[in-house]
Amino acid sequence: MLKEAYFPVMLMIFQQFGNAGMNIVSKFAINEGISQHVLVVYRHALAFAAIAPFAVMLERKQRPMMTPSIFAKIALLGLLEPVMDQNLYYTGMKFSTATFATAMVNLVPVFVFLMAWIFRFEKVTIRKFGSQLKILGTILTLGGAMFMTMVNGPMLNLAWANHNHHHESNAGINQILAKGVVMIIAACLCWASFIILQAITLKSYPAQLSLTALICLMGAIQGTVVALGIEWSNPSAWSINSKAMILTAVYGGIFRSGLGYYIQVLVIKIKGPVFVTAFNPLCLVIVAILSSFILSELMYVGRVIGAFVIVIGLYLVLWGKSKDPPSEQTEQVLAPFEFKLEEMKRFQLHSNRSGEKDHSVPSEPIQHV
């Protein structure tokens, strides 16, 4: 049985590795000249195609009835993250760097913490030790991310790094175009709003897989409208001959959007929105490490110190969350998830027997918890 204490943490660490990979491949693809607006469309179309069959098969008995209110929320979710956030983020990355864009994403936990506090998804009592830990941890993660980006310090002599790279300087940060910075900050606000609205929507539509599929579908539809408007005079932008476009769309659609949204929805129900965004700073650490190995980028003492501060801040937030009362929804979330794994195993076993009667599958349908 999955342990409550480790299950959400493992999911979020896995997601941050996926996010880090997405930042690297997307920056490479944008540098190759592909349209970031078309990329958003292909990414979420593939995500919908990947997640929809599982939603239909595994949630057929627990999917709530669609109402105008729920549909409006899902449409807004599709507009906030798949369309507005990603178009703004990729465009901002185009005008800056992958490392800078990844560092700016660490504003999201601050925005989410404030929004969750306002909408009462997160209980904060200044006098309580747990709340003090969460506040301090949020400040440290943000400060560590900014320090990691803006302060270099001495260069580390790593054997695998390319020391022929042009030496970076703090002045380079000041040369980033202002519109790129504004776009990334706006993207962070959209992402934070998306996470809060997810938490609200889950109360009336608790089918996680179906919600994920519908968000991706709405994102693909609305993103198509945006991409057609921007790339109207450039039909070649829709070409899928580029290997960079195919790799980024498939990776982003399956791992970052399809699986990533589902993990996010699941963990929000278990631990809340602040817990989810508390792991965002890990992405910056992972990107810095992967860039050093894969792209042979230089590593500096300032980045190592910043990464260390980020980890400390993350642990403080998790420590503070551990002081919260146990969520009444945790068992209700874990039980259906474990049931789905069991049902998938039985479905596969039944299919492999090619018509042979499977006595391990009960004759009457299994009821969802």
Side-chain angles (χ1 to χ4, degrees), residues 116-194:
W117 192 353
I118 293 172
F119 289 102
R120 299 182 180 180
F121 283 102
E122 190 73 18
K123 294 182 179 179
V124 178
T125 305
I126 303 299
R127 295 181 179 179
K128 289 188 176 180
F129 182 60
S131 296
Q132 294 172 356
L133 288 173
K134 286 185 282 188
I135 294 173
L136 179 59
T138 301
I139 294 173
L140 282 177
T141 53
L142 177 61
M146 294 301 100
F147 186 89
M148 190 177 180
T149 303
M150 301 179 68
V151 179
N152 287 332
M155 182 179 66
L156 296 177
N157 294 319
L158 302 178
W160 55 84
N162 185 0
H163 296 279
N164 292 324
H165 280 192
H166 180 70
H167 191 76
E168 299 179 56
S169 65
N170 292 337
I173 299 297
N174 298 326
Q175 298 175 359
I176 295 174
L177 294 177
K179 58 183 178 181
V181 177
V182 172
M183 286 181 178
I184 295 174
I185 292 176
C188 291
L189 282 170
C190 291
W191 191 355
S193 301
F194 171 79

Side-chain angles (χ1 to χ4, degrees), residues 65-365:
M65 181 179 297
M66 182 63 65
T67 65
S69 175
I70 294 176
F71 178 80
K73 292 175 183 175
I74 293 175
L76 183 56
L77 284 169
L79 180 64
L80 280 173
E81 214 288 324
V83 180
M84 293 179 64
D85 170 34
Q86 292 184 27
N87 275 288
L88 287 168
Y89 182 77
Y90 286 145
T91 305
M93 181 187 290
K94 184 177 182 178
F95 290 121
S96 58
T97 65
T99 302
F100 180 82
T102 306
M104 292 298 290
V105 168
N106 291 286
L107 290 172
V108 175
V110 178
F111 293 151
V112 170
F113 184 79
L114 294 175
M115 290 180 182
W117 192 353
I118 293 172
F119 289 102
R120 299 182 180 180
F121 283 102
E122 190 73 18
K123 294 182 179 179
V124 178
T125 305
I126 303 299
R127 295 181 179 179
K128 289 188 176 180
F129 182 60
S131 296
Q132 294 172 356
L133 288 173
K134 286 185 282 188
I135 294 173
L136 179 59
T138 301
I139 294 173
L140 282 177
T141 53
L142 177 61
M146 294 301 100
F147 186 89
M148 190 177 180
T149 303
M150 301 179 68
V151 179
N152 287 332
M155 182 179 66
L156 296 177
N157 294 319
L158 302 178
W160 55 84
N162 185 0
H163 296 279
N164 292 324
H165 280 192
H166 180 70
H167 191 76
E168 299 179 56
S169 65
N170 292 337
I173 299 297
N174 298 326
Q175 298 175 359
I176 295 174
L177 294 177
K179 58 183 178 181
V181 177
V182 172
M183 286 181 178
I184 295 174
I185 292 176
C188 291
L189 282 170
C190 291
W191 191 355
S193 301
F194 171 79
I195 292 173
I196 295 298
L197 184 56
Q198 264 190 324
I200 296 173
T201 307
L202 280 169
K203 292 184 177 181
S204 55
Y205 199 85
Q208 299 99 319
L209 283 170
S210 298
L211 179 60
T212 300
L214 289 172
I215 290 173
C216 293
L217 176 61
M218 295 304 299
I221 294 172
Q222 296 175 91
T224 300
V225 176
V226 173
L228 284 173
I230 296 176
E231 302 290 355
W232 183 259
S233 60
N234 183 26
S236 62
W238 296 87
S239 173
I240 57 175
N241 294 327
S242 170
K243 293 181 180 180
M245 171 69 86
I246 296 173
L247 171 64
T248 309
V250 172
Y251 182 90
I254 296 176
F255 292 100
R256 177 64 183 89
S257 293
L259 185 59
Y261 288 165
Y262 177 64
I263 290 175
Q264 187 168 289
V265 167
L266 191 66
V267 178
I268 283 176
K269 289 199 69 175
I270 299 174
K271 290 291 188 179
V274 174
F275 182 89
V276 171
T277 56
F279 284 81
N280 281 4
L282 280 181
C283 185
L284 177 57
V285 179
I286 298 169
V287 166
I289 295 173
L290 291 180
S291 296
S292 175
F293 280 97
I294 298 175
L295 305 177
S296 298
E297 292 185 353
L298 302 180
M299 183 66 69
Y300 297 90
V301 173
R303 296 180 183 178
V304 175
I305 295 175
F308 183 70
V309 174
I310 287 172
V311 173
I312 292 177
L314 172 61
Y315 275 107
L316 288 178
V317 173
L318 297 179
W319 187 10
K321 289 294 295 181
S322 69
K323 301 295 181 181
D324 292 344
S327 173
E328 295 179 357
Q329 295 180 332
T330 301
E331 293 184 1
Q332 297 175 3
V333 176
L334 289 179
F337 181 79
E338 292 173 351
F339 170 80
K340 290 171 188 174
L341 293 178
E342 183 64 26
E343 187 177 30
M344 289 177 68
K345 292 178 182 178
R346 293 183 179 183
F347 179 80
Q348 183 179 8
L349 178 62
H350 183 67
S351 300
N352 291 340
R353 294 201 173 185
S354 303
E356 181 183 347
K357 186 175 180 181
D358 183 4
H359 297 287
S360 65
V361 179
S363 58
E364 296 184 2

